[in-house]
Amino acid sequence: MILSGDLQVQQAKSLWLRRAEWWQQDCIELSAVTALDSAGLALLVKWAKAVLTRGATPQVVGASADFYTLANLYGVANLFQSTSPTTEDK
């Protein structure tokens, strides 16, 4: 799953309504997310807990420093395994 743009209240509501489409994925690409608020983080926490319930590890790829600042502030950063975006050698 690749998320892009603002991950704030409006997008979080839309993604929540469509969670059946992406809830089973263990990895989410966040490098194209331009803004994140507590609603967006809450959605990602719910997703991470669903992944953990299945016995998998929730992975976020390309998360910004803002993501980790907010996740640390709320004490949920340990729910996510961080992975750097993969780039092909040129």
Side-chain angles (χ1 to χ4, degrees):
M1 173 74 168
I2 299 173
L3 299 179
S4 62
D6 293 344
L7 185 49
Q8 297 178 325
V9 174
Q10 286 306 108
Q11 187 177 17
K13 285 180 185 179
S14 173
L15 286 168
W16 177 257
L17 294 174
R18 297 183 4 246
R19 66 189 178 279
E21 297 173 20
W22 61 277
W23 211 248
Q24 296 299 313
Q25 296 187 32
D26 298 342
C27 183
I28 292 182
E29 168 73 45
L30 298 176
S31 61
V33 171
T34 55
L36 175 74
D37 69 3
S38 59
L41 181 63
L43 178 71
L44 292 174
V45 167
K46 291 273 194 188
W47 162 77
K49 288 182 176 182
V51 172
L52 290 167
T53 298
R54 291 195 315 275
T57 302
Q59 297 179 8
V60 292
V61 177
S64 69
D66 290 342
F67 168 83
Y68 286 105
T69 298
L70 198 56
N72 282 317
L73 179 67
Y74 284 99
V76 296
N78 61 336
L79 291 175
F80 306 96
Q81 178 180 349
S82 178
T83 307
S84 298
T86 57
T87 56
E88 296 179 10
D89 293 336
K90 295 183 179 183

